[in-house]
Amino acid sequence: MTTRGTTDRPSTVLGRQLGDELRRHREAAGLSTTEAADALDCTKGKISRMENGRVLVRTPDVVALLHAYGIDDSETLERLTRLTRTANRRRREGWWHQYGSVLADTYRDYIEMESICESVRTFQAQLVPGLLQTAQYGRAVTIASRAWQSSEEVDQFVQVRLARQQRLLDEPTLEFWAVLAEGVLRQEVGGPDVMRAQLEHVAEMAERPNITVQVLPFSRGAHSGMFGPYLLMGFPQVTAQDLVLTETPTGNIWMERELEVAHYRALFDDARTAALPPTESLALIRRTAKEYSP
């Protein structure tokens, strides 16, 4: 995953949840974004960004907006101010912020949302997904990306990748489903020893109940995943829609419009249907690992 590109900063799930509730209260009060901006003495653009979850929202602003919308019950006020504090704290206090020197905003946002989502579905055409990479494989990928200038930066980024993998073991359990093109198994990264250890690790992790790995073999011919890697994130909050992340050499692109998300859901369904079943995939991964033995 590239970390130094410049793209639109995505909203966090809790930020979107807060913004959605503020929007509903504004609309119920019959106020436009311009009228809400007048109440807060700000631009209507700020109101839009707050409602889209794109900016940190101050607790006094939430209180002022609820007052302008005629919301005066203490239960709603307490719930939304608590949600505001929680959303802002998650943005500021995650373990990943200590690695700010090697992580772009888009990657920090990704790690943050990975920490609170309940499912990740991904298709990969050439690389083992980061959550399943060994340290040696991750180091070889990081060096090949040419995004870092020093061995210290490489070390720090590999540490971040390994720290992320704890999410597969923590509670609540992350449901992780990866469809790998056969090229992922055949692309020799770091040399035969690294590849053997990497594929053995994938096979071991695929035995866990919350992890599914399938391989899409070359013999399947042309397929809808040939045009690049992507992942879908699902969240437990009822008001939170899925997110899609696509990767490019210069940055990552987030999508959250329902039509776009639905398109990638269909792509993933096509990929998992065309791929080998999990048991056969696991056998293929283990056979390929042996091919890297001396």
Side-chain angles (χ1 to χ4, degrees), residues 9-24 46-58 62 80 82-91 109 112-113 116 235 237 239-241 243 256:
R9 183 179 178 89
S11 55
T12 67
V13 175
L14 295 179
R16 295 203 323 271
Q17 184 178 357
L18 172 64
D20 189 59
E21 292 210 39
L22 290 175
R23 177 186 55 77
R24 290 203 303 270
K46 178 178 178 179
I47 298 296
S48 294
R49 290 192 295 274
M50 292 170 65
E51 292 182 354
N52 289 328
R54 300 282 176 181
V55 294
L56 287 173
V57 181
R58 299 171 57 248
V62 171
L80 289 186
R82 184 170 61 248
L83 180 59
T84 302
R85 291 192 296 270
T86 302
N88 291 347
R89 185 170 63 251
R90 279 195 176 273
R91 275 180 161 166
D109 286 331
E112 176 183 355
M113 284 182 278
I116 59 176
F235 300 90
Q237 293 87 354
T239 58
Q241 68 268 42
L243 289 177
E256 55 185 319

Side-chain angles (χ1 to χ4, degrees), residues 111-256:
I111 298 172
E112 176 183 355
M113 284 182 278
E114 184 178 74
S115 74
I116 59 176
C117 71
E118 65 177 2
S119 67
V120 171
R121 290 163 287 170
T122 184
F123 174 82
Q124 294 292 326
Q126 282 194 294
L127 291 175
V128 171
L131 287 179
L132 299 180
Q133 290 181 6
T134 64
Q136 293 79 11
Y137 183 99
R139 176 176 297 279
V141 171
T142 302
I143 292 172
S145 72
R146 297 182 178 273
W148 291 269
Q149 303 302 316
S150 68
S151 59
E152 181 180 0
E153 288 181 324
V154 171
D155 289 342
Q156 288 185 359
F157 186 72
V158 172
Q159 289 171 16
V160 170
R161 182 144 294 179
L162 296 178
R164 281 177 48 211
Q165 296 174 4
Q166 184 63 35
R167 183 67 183 87
L168 293 172
L169 309 176
D170 287 341
E171 295 292 340
T173 303
L174 174 69
E175 295 296 326
F176 184 72
W177 192 337
V179 176
L180 312 179
E182 187 175 351
V184 174
L185 314 185
R186 306 294 180 183
Q187 182 72 45
E188 188 171 313
V189 174
D193 291 343
V194 170
M195 283 301 299
R196 183 177 64 256
Q198 175 62 79
L199 295 185
E200 288 172 349
H201 178 68
V202 170
E204 179 182 350
M205 295 298 289
E207 297 279 10
R208 298 185 62 85
N210 60 313
I211 298 174
T212 301
V213 178
Q214 292 180 260
V215 177
L216 185 57
F218 291 140
S219 59
R220 293 292 194 262
H223 57 84
S224 59
M226 295 171 64
F227 305 100
Y230 57 86
L231 64 84
L232 294 116
M233 288 180 148
F235 300 90
Q237 293 87 354
V238 175
T239 58
Q241 68 268 42
D242 290 353
L243 289 177
V244 172
L245 177 68
T246 61
E247 303 174 35
T248 75
T250 57
N252 301 324
I253 300 172
W254 291 91
M255 287 170 275
E256 55 185 319

Side-chain angles (χ1 to χ4, degrees), residues 1-14:
M1 178 177 296
T2 302
T3 64
R4 291 197 171 185
T6 301
T7 66
D8 288 340
R9 183 179 178 89
S11 55
T12 67
V13 175
L14 295 179

Side-chain angles (χ1 to χ4, degrees), residues 35-101:
E35 290 169 321
D38 289 341
L40 204 59
D41 192 23
C42 67
T43 66
K44 72 174 186 176
K46 178 178 178 179
I47 298 296
S48 294
R49 290 192 295 274
M50 292 170 65
E51 292 182 354
N52 289 328
R54 300 282 176 181
V55 294
L56 287 173
V57 181
R58 299 171 57 248
T59 300
D61 289 344
V62 171
V63 173
L65 286 175
L66 291 178
H67 178 73
Y69 301 157
I71 305 297
D72 56 9
D73 68 282
S74 59
E75 181 178 342
T76 299
L77 180 62
E78 170 60 25
R79 182 171 57 81
L80 289 186
T81 53
R82 184 170 61 248
L83 180 59
T84 302
R85 291 192 296 270
T86 302
N88 291 347
R89 185 170 63 251
R90 279 195 176 273
R91 275 180 161 166
R92 291 179 177 134
E93 297 180 1
W95 61 263
W96 47 90
H97 289 288
Q98 64 184 295
Y99 297 100
S101 62

